[in-house]
Amino acid sequence: MSKASNLLFPYSVRTNSKGELYVTDTFNHRIRKLEKDRLVGVTGGSDGSSLRFPADMAFTETNDLVISDSDHDQLVVLKSRTGQLSKLKEISIQSGKPEPFGSPTQLDVFAGSVYLADTLKNRILIINLDSKSAKSIEVHKPLGIAVNRKTGNITFTQRGSNSVFVCKNGNIEPLAGSSLFGFTDGQGTAASFFEPYGLSSKEDGSILVADAGNHSIREVSLDGYVTTLAGNRTKGFADGTEALFHYPMGVTSGPDGVVFVADTYNHKIRKIFPNLEVETVA
């Protein structure tokens, strides 16, 4: 039975250090948390005044929540100890001149830095929140982003692309997929995706991919081999071992080997167990 959650196009799911699940309830302009099988509000609201179409979030080592507030072109930080919100609308790049963000999309936190897909500015930013400064990597319309927990390399997706890319030592190359869309497992560029969106790194270095256009969740191993975890290219809604999704845009790994999915166009949060059975959690 489908669970009532009143989510509206959730773009992202993330877990904190305690394994607690958070959701960007994107079209309701708020962040929510799963507590005892129900979602409770964390910050934001339906009027869109404090957050407007939040696209993603990630936790720092101190459990502060960094939010990509895409329609306000800013980052918002929710302090875990005080509950206070701080907003960052400009960042100093290499030139030292403060620059505005351009519809920031997905983000990740790794080794004390925030990695941000600053989509309409055609760049990935590596941000120091304390100094409000950043390094910039030129990338055309980046969308999803994840830092590999094993290698420290940046993986990302792009608007209009059917590949997952990796940035190694400043060089960008395909990790998996090609320019052609498709739904094929396999090694590296022999595999295919269709409009891959959100990414997340597991601790073993494999990359989870919300393959939105294929209505599926895929995984890229550390050596670049792509496998399908759930979904079969058919949009729909079904739990179990023959699960169906509808344009999932966010994915993350949780405790005990589970994977959480923002099943965006179904307005649901799903869980993939290690045996690849799928359950709706909100």
Side-chain angles (χ1 to χ4, degrees):
M1 179 180 293
S2 176
K3 296 186 178 182
S5 60
N6 298 316
L7 289 168
L8 192 58
F9 296 103
Y11 275 26
S12 175
V13 282
R14 300 292 180 190
T15 55
N16 63 11
S17 61
K18 300 177 183 178
E20 297 170 321
L21 185 69
Y22 286 69
V23 181
T24 57
D25 189 4
T26 302
F27 277 55
N28 282 320
H29 314 299
R30 58 186 176 178
I31 307 298
R32 299 170 76 182
K33 176 185 175 184
L34 186 65
E35 288 187 356
K36 297 180 179 179
D37 295 326
R38 70 185 187 96
L39 289 168
V40 299
V42 173
T43 190
S46 58
D47 64 355
S49 59
S50 58
L51 297 175
R52 185 167 170 80
F53 299 110
D56 197 18
M57 62 197 156
F59 288 93
T60 68
E61 293 177 353
T62 58
N63 267 336
D64 292 342
L65 184 60
V66 185
I67 303 164
S68 173
D69 188 10
S70 62
D71 211 49
H72 284 147
D73 296 324
Q74 64 184 2
L75 292 181
V76 175
V77 181
L78 176 62
K79 293 290 185 179
S80 62
R81 298 182 67 179
T82 64
Q84 291 182 321
L85 288 174
S86 62
K87 299 179 180 180
L88 181 63
K89 296 188 73 70
E90 292 183 322
I91 197 76
S92 294
I93 316 296
Q94 285 94 329
S95 65
K97 180 182 178 181
E99 297 182 20
F101 298 108
S103 191
T105 310
Q106 197 173 26
L107 58 84
D108 196 5
V109 175
F110 181 75
S113 295
V114 176
Y115 291 72
L116 178 69
D118 197 15
T119 304
L120 294 188
K121 293 289 186 176
N122 296 306
R123 62 191 180 187
I124 289 173
L125 296 176
I126 305 173
I127 300 171
N128 183 311
L129 288 178
D130 293 329
S131 64
K132 297 180 175 58
S133 63
K135 297 178 181 179
S136 179
I137 301 171
E138 184 177 346
V139 171
H140 181 70
K141 298 290 190 296
L143 289 175
I145 188 169
V147 182
N148 191 298
R149 271 21 188 192
K150 276 286 187 182
T151 66
N153 294 326
I154 303 168
T155 58
F156 63 92
T157 58
Q158 293 174 279
R159 183 179 293 174
S161 171
N162 298 306
S163 297
V164 177
F165 297 90
V166 61
C167 182
K168 296 180 181 178
N169 302 317
N171 297 314
I172 293 173
E173 58 189 58
L175 174 65
S178 69
S179 59
L180 300 177
F181 70 87
F183 186 60
T184 306
D185 289 346
Q187 185 68 41
T189 55
S192 56
F193 300 91
F194 183 28
E195 298 179 352
Y197 194 94
L199 302 176
S200 180
S201 175
K202 296 170 70 174
E203 291 301 321
D204 65 4
S206 60
I207 301 297
L208 298 169
V209 183
D211 190 7
N214 279 323
H215 314 293
S216 301
I217 304 302
R218 319 285 292 281
E219 183 172 348
V220 187
S221 68
L222 195 58
D223 63 358
Y225 195 89
V226 177
T227 56
T228 299
L229 299 183
N232 64 8
R233 207 181 189 181
T234 302
K235 68 181 179 183
F237 180 77
D239 284 341
T241 56
E242 301 294 329
L244 298 176
F245 302 86
H246 190 182
Y247 212 82
M249 294 173 64
V251 63
T252 197
S253 57
D256 303 320
V258 304
V259 172
F260 291 103
V261 179
D263 190 5
T264 307
Y265 279 59
N266 275 326
H267 315 291
K268 298 293 181 185
I269 304 303
R270 319 286 292 281
K271 177 193 280 189
I272 305 174
F273 291 93
N275 66 357
L276 303 187
E277 185 170 349
V278 175
E279 174 184 289
T280 300
V281 298

